[in-house]
Amino acid sequence: ESEVALAAEEPPIPDMEARTRLREMEVRARGTFEAEAVDGDIERHRADLEGRLSELGGRMITDNAKRLEKRAVEFLEQAYAPIADKVSSGKFESYDEYESDRKRIKVSCREQNVSREVISTFMEDRISDFASRLDARRREELQGERSKAEAAARAAKGESDVAAQKHEMEVYALKQRLEQSSAYLEEVRERERKAR
């Protein structure tokens, strides 16, 4: 029991190492039991020992796994913080750029013996958040471009309408001049006929 209590106060260790340490503790406990056991109800005491070893070993492995996961998540949060800042400020232009930074973190996690399961669980929400933010930003950009295009189309239509009105006015003015010229020409012809 004292070895399990001491293990709980030490930094967490990789699962395989914890299981190896547990087997070593169990071997020492059984050896001590066999060396110090006295005749009597030895089989019942051996069964009690095995039950206690199983209980303590399970607790030791579970506690170590929880502490190992907690330490891994803390490491991931610290390592991911610069990426989180870039995500929240919209500095990533593409998923490829984001993925490049994320891969560097995965490499450093492997160097720190962070399990793939913890990495996957941690990254799943972060990837989803990034994708949502990138999608929203792209939609805003597209909406902005669409608004600009619509404004340009309205401006072009306005210019076209002005040009059409100007053209109509010029045509009207030309028709008026033509009518005036035709009337004047008719007048001149009429005078010439009378003058003859």
Side-chain angles (χ1 to χ4, degrees):
E1 285 185 46
S2 61
E3 285 188 57
V4 171
L6 285 174
E9 293 179 17
E10 295 175 0
I13 56 178
D15 187 62
M16 291 306 293
E17 191 175 323
R19 290 181 186 284
T20 300
R21 181 184 280 181
L22 175 62
R23 283 191 297 275
E24 291 169 356
M25 285 184 214
E26 288 172 342
V27 167
R28 281 194 300 276
R30 287 182 187 110
T32 301
F33 174 80
E34 294 298 330
E36 296 180 10
V38 290
D39 290 338
D41 202 3
I42 232 170
E43 288 307 315
R44 183 176 58 84
H45 292 300
R46 183 176 283 125
D48 289 344
L49 172 67
E50 292 302 324
R52 190 74 178 129
L53 286 174
S54 177
E55 175 191 330
L56 290 173
R59 192 171 65 209
M60 181 184 128
I61 295 298
T62 301
D63 179 59
N64 182 70
K66 286 178 183 176
R67 291 182 305 121
L68 192 61
E69 182 175 348
K70 181 181 178 195
R71 188 178 77 177
V73 169
E74 288 170 354
F75 175 81
L76 276 163
E77 286 172 347
Q78 183 180 10
Y80 190 81
I83 292 177
D85 290 343
K86 288 171 80 175
V87 167
S88 63
S89 64
K91 291 186 179 174
F92 287 112
E93 294 298 320
S94 68
Y95 180 79
D96 291 338
E97 186 180 344
Y98 169 77
E99 185 62 14
S100 174
D101 281 10
R102 202 175 72 79
K103 280 182 181 178
R104 281 194 286 274
I105 287 179
K106 287 171 72 175
V107 168
S108 66
C109 285
R110 287 190 195 111
E111 292 168 358
Q112 295 294 319
N113 294 319
V114 176
S115 75
R116 291 178 190 266
E117 181 181 344
V118 172
I119 294 170
S120 294
T121 302
F122 181 87
M123 290 295 180
E124 186 176 320
D125 291 337
R126 275 63 178 190
I127 292 170
S128 177
D129 177 56
F130 169 73
S132 296
R133 288 175 185 254
L134 184 62
D135 182 53
R137 192 172 82 217
R138 292 280 163 81
R139 286 177 191 257
E140 286 175 16
E141 289 170 357
L142 287 173
Q143 183 59 38
E145 289 175 16
R146 182 178 178 180
S147 295
K148 286 179 186 176
E150 287 173 351
R154 282 191 301 275
K157 184 176 180 340
E159 290 173 9
S160 173
D161 289 348
V162 167
Q165 281 181 328
K166 185 177 175 183
H167 177 71
E168 286 176 15
M169 289 171 62
E170 288 173 353
V171 168
Y172 178 76
L174 285 173
K175 283 182 180 180
Q176 292 288 55
R177 282 191 215 148
L178 184 59
E179 286 177 11
Q180 288 172 355
S181 295
S182 292
Y184 178 73
L185 186 58
E186 193 58 42
E187 225 178 86
V188 168
R189 284 186 190 152
E190 189 62 38
R191 276 190 251 158
E192 280 181 4
R193 255 186 272 153
K194 286 183 183 177
R196 285 192 212 173

